[in-house]
Amino acid sequence: MSKVAVIFWSGTGNTETMAESVRDGAKAAGADVTLVQVDDFKVADMANFDGFIFGCPAMGDEVLEEDSFEPFFAEAEGKIKDIPVGLFGSYGWGGGAWMESWCDRTKEAGAKLIGNVIAENSPDEEAVANCEQLGKDVVAAL
């Protein structure tokens, strides 16, 4: 059975809701899924997983959350070459430039970027369904 980690940061609960939907999709596709907040996960633990789905909302000037998530992801970039990865997050303003930049970084790190999902503020039914599909798609790529 494939092992997938859904690693996220959420300030208001929107990205956490998305993370739960991603987890549900990955489980439905047959993976052993670990859902964990970024502060409770160490980069060293990445060796125990076959794929990753990262979630972080847009912060400030459309960047990843800077105190916990950005330092984690900067270190994790060195561990995702040739690994299936999905990205998701919510935003409250702007048009999603943080996700475009994050996708570019992920590809530059050599990951197999499977897809991404963004939601404006609280995820609606479509965003929830897209998150579930993202979980399934990452598992299918393993």
Side-chain angles (χ1 to χ4, degrees):
M1 178 181 289
S2 299
K3 292 184 75 175
V4 175
V6 179
I7 306 161
F8 71 96
W9 186 92
S10 186
T12 63
N14 294 335
T15 302
E16 183 171 12
T17 297
M18 295 175 79
E20 291 165 352
S21 297
V22 168
R23 173 204 58 206
D24 293 347
K27 277 188 173 185
D32 177 8
V33 184
T34 298
L35 177 69
V36 62
Q37 293 189 34
V38 69
D39 288 334
D40 297 327
F41 192 87
K42 304 291 181 244
V43 170
D45 296 331
M46 292 177 71
N48 300 319
F49 295 89
D50 304 305
F52 302 95
I53 311 173
F54 300 106
C56 186
M59 302 293 288
D61 189 25
E62 293 228 31
V63 296
L64 297 173
E65 189 276 328
E66 296 172 295
D67 294 327
S68 296
F69 200 89
E70 174 58 41
F72 166 81
F73 193 75
E75 186 178 351
E77 283 176 291
K79 306 281 186 187
I80 58 175
K81 185 174 184 348
D82 299 324
I83 304 290
V85 170
L87 306 175
F88 66 94
S90 62
Y91 66 98
W93 60 92
W98 106 101
M99 184 58 74
E100 291 174 24
S101 298
W102 195 12
C103 287
D104 289 345
R105 279 178 69 182
T106 301
K107 289 181 214 173
E108 288 168 10
K112 296 177 186 173
L113 181 61
I114 304 305
N116 70 85
V117 178
I118 62 174
E120 186 173 3
N121 298 312
S122 181
D124 59 15
E125 288 181 24
E126 180 181 4
V128 167
N130 289 340
C131 285
E132 289 174 1
Q133 189 61 51
L134 178 63
K136 292 175 184 176
D137 290 347
V138 169
V139 173
L142 297 174

